[in-house]
Amino acid sequence: MPMPMASSTHLAVLAILLLVPLSTARAVLPSSNDDDGGSAKTAAYTKVCDASRFAAAGLDMSRYRYCDAKLPYGDRVRDLIGWMTVEEKVSNLGDWAAGAPRVGLPPYKWWSEALHGLSSTGPTTKFDDLKKPRLHSGRAAVFNGTVFANVINSAASFNESLWRSIGQAISTEARAMYNLGKGGLTYWSPNINVVRDPRWGRALETPGEDPFVVGRYAVNFVRGMQDVDDAAAGFNGDPLSRPLKTSACCKHYAAYDVDDWYGHTRFKFDARVTERDMVETFQRPFEMCVRDGDASAVMCSYNRVNGIPACADARLLAGTLRRDWGLHGYIVSDCDAVRVMTDNATWLGYTPAEASAASLKAGLDLDCGESWIVQKGKPVMDFLSTYGMAAVRQGKMRESDIDNALVNLYTTLMRLGYFDGMPRYESLDEKDICSEAHRSLALDGARQSMVLLKNLDGLLPLDASKLASVAVRGPHAEAPEKVMDGDYTGPPCRYITPREGISKDVNISQQGGDVTIYMGGINMHIEREGNDREDLLLPKNQTEEILRVAAASPSPIVLVILSGGGIDVSFAQSHPKIGAILWAGYPGGEGGHAIADVIFGRYNPGGRLPLTWFKNKYIHQLPMTSMALRPRPEHGYPGRTYKFYDGPDVLYPFGYGLSYTKFRYELLNKETAVTLAPGRRHCRQLSYKTGSVGPDCPAVDVASHACAETVSFNVSVVNAGKADGANAVLVYTAPPAELAGAPIKQVAAFRRVAVKAGAAETVVFTLNVCKAFGIVEKTAYTVVPSGVSTVIVENGDSSAVSFPVQISFSA
Ligand SMILES: *[C@@H]1O[C@H](CO)[C@@H](O)[C@H](O)[C@H]1NC(C)=O
Ligand SMILES: *[C@@H]1O[C@H](CO)[C@@H](O)[C@H](O)[C@H]1NC(C)=O
Ligand SMILES: *[C@@H]1O[C@H](CO)[C@@H](O)[C@H](O)[C@H]1NC(C)=O
Ligand SMILES: *[C@@H]1O[C@H](CO)[C@@H](O)[C@H](O)[C@H]1NC(C)=O
Ligand SMILES: *[C@@H]1O[C@H](CO)[C@@H](O)[C@H](O)[C@H]1NC(C)=O
Ligand SMILES: *[C@@H]1O[C@H](CO)[C@@H](O)[C@H](O)[C@H]1NC(C)=O
């Protein structure tokens, strides 16, 4: 659609709730983080508490204790809120917050996105237009930013330090944009919903199907975005004062992963979910994001969970997020999720005022609304700001609930230096955007994520010096930016198509060289937000073309697949004339170079699939709307993800990925028994397969046991081939075989290591017994089962080593 926000998050909502033509959406209000839209220029300033800024508005800053940097944040935030009228308070509950200029508080736009680089989505981040350069207020123009490979790519690297480095690079660019008046401080990324169903349109935005891997991605990305380099600076140990480089946000909470599947839309979808699946799968990454990542925001989702809209569910928000996990930050709604409760998925017959009140009461702090739509120079306000006062007047909304929301919001802004500045970042500017270091990180990240799925007789890598030319075919040979960059993106610093990347190594012939490289796959017409897939196949004519090209080629061809989700390429897996298959995801601005580096052997691929590639047959066995992870024999539904599906319809399993070299694992110094001393009252029951009888104390509840016990072992990763390379070591645990309903196996740890040809590297693993061997029982208790669990260390080529671990409990 030809819209200013072509990659906008909420196109579907936009389309259904459109109030004004989008051509009017470009106007910008002056605010602290964007002052270059109007004709009257406000002076640039970097902090709210600037005495000259107050003086210019006829105010004396010394009267406002909220600007007294010597006071604790808590006192300052209470002071600020104390100055505000209830009308002013309500006008700050939406993403385009009005501020309270009367008492010195400027407007603030909360909505920025940074899924895999700064994104133009939302009203805040503004890149300059290369076609119409305008220099504002003497500030440099910024036309583009570093676009990293999509998240599903980065996930395939299984490299935690890469994930953190990407977060660090993005937050540096974000700070630079903020300093230039072109961006905000609060970013609604990452997207950490587990890919439960292979049809989900947003797989490309996520780290895949394993809740633990997704959670580790969240922790690293969030820490990269948020953590201040020198944590000592100004930090007194109170998590609510911990400085933030930028604020990250884990979304979409919870059980959200149906976008639009044959008319089942996310706005109306009621996810029927068991508590076991909530704990084990849907909430786990969020728990890790909040507890281990200390994320400063969480976004609640559109859908309902067991009948209740996620953004009005007090148990999910105030209960689990804030009380149980101790969120230090704010909770924001997905955009228009509150409006949807009354306009679309009529909930309890609530009026707009009642839905607003219910959301706030449940723990929501901020409503993302339709602020990207601007009418007569003003944004169309979000729902809470629009109906909040009515709710107050009708006695349905407590002012103290509003105050609590504002405390969470302004505390976050204080931690970001919005009030006091943050000198360490104030010198960042356009030179820090698209820097050489960031561009090479984007290239390196794209290379690390390439997954080699097939390599018959070592067809790859190609030796460019021995080729007169190659033929490059297929719809993605000249893939446009919007295919390579995927969703939630801004303009890239540089853009390299696959053909351009390859042409640096060899001449490309139209007629066909010795070798043909076919660039296939799908694109965002098939998988994206608001659009789930109907099947897992390539377009029919593309399959036909690949088969024709393969048949006509004198030697086997190379097939490169661009996609977020898995593709059923069964026809290619077994085809003797399709010699190699390389999955390139959507590899970002530097993607063309990354693909060429792998094809010509400058980089040895080490990525592994972060989700199962199913055969298309699989999706005919269960509807997308069935949320259960385990098989449902009563309906004939198979299980979901590698944890619960072991049927025949897997093309390439989770964790699959080959290399140009051969890795072999040797287990060293393994511990094979561990005893926990839990005490009788921590015993829980377990479900056993028929015929099995459990011991007296079958399992221990991990929530009530301190659990310092560990199991350690070393894996020697031997590079037994002729090429240097990187290998991601994936460690799984499998629960005792006699248990019923337990996962087949689950990832407990992973580490990517580089190993020179002929050498070996030792990787030390220390597994916490509760975290690594814990399973979620039918009762939704997380327990450690007694008996023999198994540790399995799997190589990407499906070979594995394993050893048993006997877990017992002492009295
Ligand atoms: C992991 O990523 C980092 C980039 O942040 C890179 O320097 C390192 O080499 C990668 N590790 C491996 C084993 O590939
Ligand atoms: C949502 O509600 C709006 C306003 O009532 C309506 O125009 C729109 O058609 C609805 N959309 C859906 C998908 O039901
Ligand atoms: C990115 O911006 C720079 C100027 O900063 C410009 O030279 C370059 O052409 C832009 N890149 C793209 C792909 O538009
Ligand atoms: C491309 O072909 C030209 C001759 O047509 C040759 O001079 C050149 O070396 C070739 N380039 C590569 C990269 O093979
Ligand atoms: C397949 O058909 C579509 C729609 O007609 C067309 O746009 C596309 O180019 C075709 N693809 C191939 C590989 O022929
Ligand atoms: C693993 O190896 C390290 C050093 O290579 C060694 O210090 C350690 O004791 C080993 N761990 C175990 C459990 O043997």
Side-chain angles (χ1 to χ4, degrees):
M1 279 182 273
M3 298 183 178
M5 280 134 210
S7 65
S8 161
T9 172
H10 313 286
L11 280 184
V13 180
L14 188 58
I16 55 173
L17 300 171
L18 199 57
L19 300 178
V20 291
L22 272 154
S23 53
T24 62
R26 284 174 183 274
V28 180
L29 286 187
S31 81
S32 59
N33 45 349
D34 186 339
D35 70 351
D36 60 2
S39 48
K41 299 278 184 288
T42 34
Y45 60 90
T46 54
K47 56 186 184 182
V48 170
C49 296
D50 175 329
S52 63
R53 198 187 64 82
F54 274 73
L59 300 172
D60 173 5
M61 193 175 92
S62 66
R63 289 183 62 215
Y64 297 96
R65 284 162 49 87
Y66 77 80
C67 276
D68 183 347
K70 290 190 296 299
L71 297 178
Y73 287 171
D75 294 357
R76 295 174 64 185
V77 166
R78 286 282 164 197
D79 178 70
L80 170 61
I81 294 168
W83 286 101
M84 294 162 79
T85 64
V86 65
E87 286 83 1
E88 283 167 337
K89 291 176 183 177
V90 164
S91 71
N92 282 286
L93 293 175
D95 67 284
W96 197 318
R102 190 182 58 83
V103 296
L105 182 69
Y108 178 76
K109 287 185 278 179
W110 286 88
W111 182 4
S112 293
E113 304 269 355
L115 183 65
H116 57 114
L118 296 179
S119 161
S120 316
T121 305
T124 314
T125 303
K126 297 282 176 211
F127 287 101
D128 294 273
D129 187 343
L130 201 53
K131 293 188 201 83
K132 289 181 262 162
R134 286 192 305 156
L135 299 187
H136 304 298
S137 325
R139 290 169 175 186
V142 178
F143 300 107
N144 44 51
T146 308
V147 176
F148 294 90
N150 279 267
V151 177
I152 195 72
N153 288 65
S154 297
S157 74
F158 286 89
N159 183 346
E160 297 196 70
S161 70
L162 173 69
W163 302 340
R164 192 175 291 229
S165 302
I166 289 174
Q168 285 165 341
I170 294 174
S171 53
T172 293
E173 298 201 353
R175 275 282 174 180
M177 286 291 271
Y178 178 71
N179 294 340
L180 295 165
K182 299 172 194 292
L185 293 169
T186 44
Y187 288 83
W188 295 345
S189 308
N191 177 347
I192 58 161
N193 294 110
V194 165
V195 183
R196 171 190 55 98
D197 189 291
R199 288 162 283 199
W200 190 32
R202 299 185 80 171
L204 69 148
E205 297 178 31
T206 76
E209 78 182 21
D210 179 76
F212 174 75
V213 175
V214 172
R216 289 306 304 167
Y217 178 87
V219 169
N220 282 283
F221 181 82
V222 166
R223 291 217 165 263
M225 287 288 287
Q226 291 194 163
D227 287 5
V228 168
D229 316 344
D230 171 14
F235 179 42
N236 62 8
D238 168 15
L240 291 174
S241 307
R242 192 168 76 90
L244 296 170
K245 186 178 176 191
T246 60
S247 165
C249 170
C250 284
K251 69 187 185 185
H252 315 76
Y253 179 77
Y256 161 69
D257 58 342
V258 170
D259 264 62
D260 186 348
W261 183 70
Y262 294 109
H264 295 276
T265 71
R266 54 185 174 167
F267 311 119
K268 293 189 176 179
F269 182 58
D270 182 11
R272 310 305 294 197
V273 188
T274 64
E275 285 302 313
R276 178 192 238 180
D277 284 342
M278 283 303 273
V279 171
E280 179 179 64
T281 300
F282 299 114
Q283 289 182 323
R284 176 123 195 249
F286 289 91
E287 179 171 8
M288 292 169 73
C289 174
V290 171
R291 285 191 198 262
D292 305 336
D294 199 14
S296 53
V298 172
M299 178 183 281
C300 52
S301 54
Y302 291 112
N303 58 285
R304 302 181 190 197
V305 180
N306 298 324
I308 304 176
C311 290
D313 188 328
R315 218 188 119 206
L316 283 178
L317 306 187
T320 306
L321 267 184
R322 203 168 280 289
R323 188 196 57 222
D324 298 350
W325 299 345
L327 172 70
H328 308 119
Y330 70 98
I331 303 176
V332 58
S333 71
D334 203 341
C335 294
D336 284 324
V338 183
R339 181 185 298 273
V340 159
M341 290 176 206
T342 65
D343 282 13
N344 297 90
T346 324
W347 183 52
L348 301 178
Y350 273 3
T351 63
E354 286 165 340
S356 302
S359 303
L360 209 66
K361 198 179 293 186
L364 187 73
D365 301 308
L366 187 73
D367 178 24
C368 176
E370 295 166 68
S371 58
W372 64 82
I373 301 174
V374 177
Q375 257 176 341
K376 300 203 181 90
K378 287 198 163 136
V380 171
M381 292 311 283
D382 65 282
F383 215 60
L384 277 185
S385 305
T386 307
Y387 296 104
M389 274 318 295
V392 171
R393 282 194 211 98
Q394 292 164 20
K396 293 189 164 128
M397 191 186 278
R398 287 188 196 177
E399 191 169 349
S400 65
D401 285 343
I402 302 174
D403 293 348
N404 287 339
L406 296 181
V407 166
N408 295 329
L409 293 168
Y410 293 123
T411 303
T412 307
L413 288 181
M414 290 239 166
R415 294 171 60 193
L416 285 160
Y418 178 71
F419 287 86
D420 305 326
M422 207 176 267
R424 64 181 56 220
Y425 297 123
E426 284 167 13
S427 61
L428 295 173
D429 62 16
E430 66 280 4
K431 290 186 294 301
D432 300 286
I433 301 172
C434 290
S435 63
E436 194 47 48
H438 291 182
R439 278 158 41 177
S440 55
L441 183 64
L443 173 60
D444 187 41
R447 293 194 297 210
Q448 289 190 41
S449 64
M450 299 278 157
V451 181
L452 183 64
L453 295 172
K454 175 178 180 180
N455 198 15
L456 213 57
D457 303 326
L459 172 60
L460 290 181
L462 302 178
D463 182 347
S465 68
K466 298 212 174 98
L467 296 170
S469 65
V470 298
V472 180
R473 305 281 302 265
H476 288 329
E478 307 274 11
E481 209 179 286
K482 60 179 185 292
V483 172
M484 296 284 272
D485 286 357
D487 220 344
Y488 283 92
T489 171
C493 323
R494 189 162 72 153
Y495 177 65
I496 313 289
T497 67
R499 184 196 291 273
E500 271 177 276
I502 288 167
S503 68
K504 299 257 156 61
D505 287 273
V506 287
N507 286 322
I508 294 181
S509 87
Q510 294 310 323
Q511 290 75 296
D514 308 344
V515 180
T516 296
I517 303 172
Y518 190 98
M519 298 285 173
I522 56 176
N523 60 33
M524 254 129 283
H525 290 294
I526 294 174
E527 53 170 349
R528 68 165 295 161
E529 179 169 11
N531 185 16
D532 296 317
R533 291 163 69 185
E534 288 169 18
D535 61 44
L536 307 179
L537 303 168
L538 291 175
K540 188 156 175 283
N541 59 347
Q542 191 183 130
T543 303
E544 287 163 0
E545 186 178 73
I546 296 168
L547 290 171
R548 263 199 318 276
V549 168
S553 167
S555 59
I557 68 164
V558 175
L559 174 61
V560 178
I561 298 283
L562 268 63
S563 72
I567 311 274
D568 179 356
V569 285
S570 306
F571 72 91
Q573 186 186 41
S574 51
H575 198 298
K577 292 292 290 295
I578 300 174
I581 306 176
L582 179 70
W583 178 71
Y586 295 120
E590 302 288 332
H593 283 323
I595 291 172
D597 285 349
V598 168
I599 288 182
F600 295 106
R602 271 187 303 277
Y603 191 86
N604 183 354
R608 301 181 59 172
L609 291 180
L611 37 71
T612 308
W613 278 33
F614 286 100
K615 295 180 189 164
N616 197 52
K617 260 188 277 176
Y618 175 82
I619 63 168
H620 298 303
Q621 297 163 40
L622 79 178
M624 205 179 156
T625 46
S626 165
M627 296 298 286
L629 274 295
R630 288 170 177 73
R632 297 178 69 188
E634 71 280 21
H635 293 103
Y637 301 164
R640 295 177 172 283
T641 77
Y642 78 89
K643 288 170 75 170
F644 300 104
Y645 181 77
D646 60 358
D649 295 327
V650 171
L651 185 69
Y652 292 111
F654 174 90
Y656 194 76
L658 306 172
S659 167
Y660 296 155
T661 191
K662 173 79 194 149
F663 289 106
R664 192 162 44 75
Y665 294 155
E666 283 167 19
L667 285 170
L668 310 170
N669 316 79
K670 51 190 190 286
E671 290 176 352
T672 56
V674 62
T675 303
L676 275 60
R680 182 75 221 172
R681 69 197 159 83
H682 303 311
C683 291
R684 296 284 179 269
Q685 293 308 304
L686 279 181
S687 312
Y688 288 93
K689 288 173 182 158
T690 338
S692 304
V693 180
D696 197 28
C697 178
V700 164
D701 176 5
V702 306
S704 56
H705 175 64
C707 211
E709 295 86 354
T710 59
V711 167
S712 296
F713 58 97
N714 286 353
V715 182
S716 173
V717 181
V718 182
N719 183 338
K722 292 200 172 58
D724 298 350
N727 178 253
V729 183
L730 264 60
V731 176
Y732 299 82
T733 58
E738 63 274 17
L739 300 193
I744 299 158
K745 61 182 180 184
Q746 55 188 353
V747 176
F750 56 92
R751 193 91 39 81
R752 183 179 173 108
V753 281
V755 191
K756 296 258 180 248
E761 292 289 332
T762 299
V763 189
V764 182
F765 287 101
T766 301
L767 305 181
N768 175 286
V769 171
C770 290
K771 289 194 167 130
F773 295 92
I775 58 167
V776 182
E777 245 302 314
K778 207 186 281 176
T779 53
Y781 277 122
T782 304
V783 299
V784 178
S786 64
V788 180
S789 288
T790 309
V791 172
I792 307 160
V793 190
E794 271 193 16
N795 206 335
D797 60 6
S798 303
S799 66
V801 292
S802 64
F803 63 94
V805 176
Q806 169 78 50
I807 299 177
S808 1
F809 310 134
S810 65

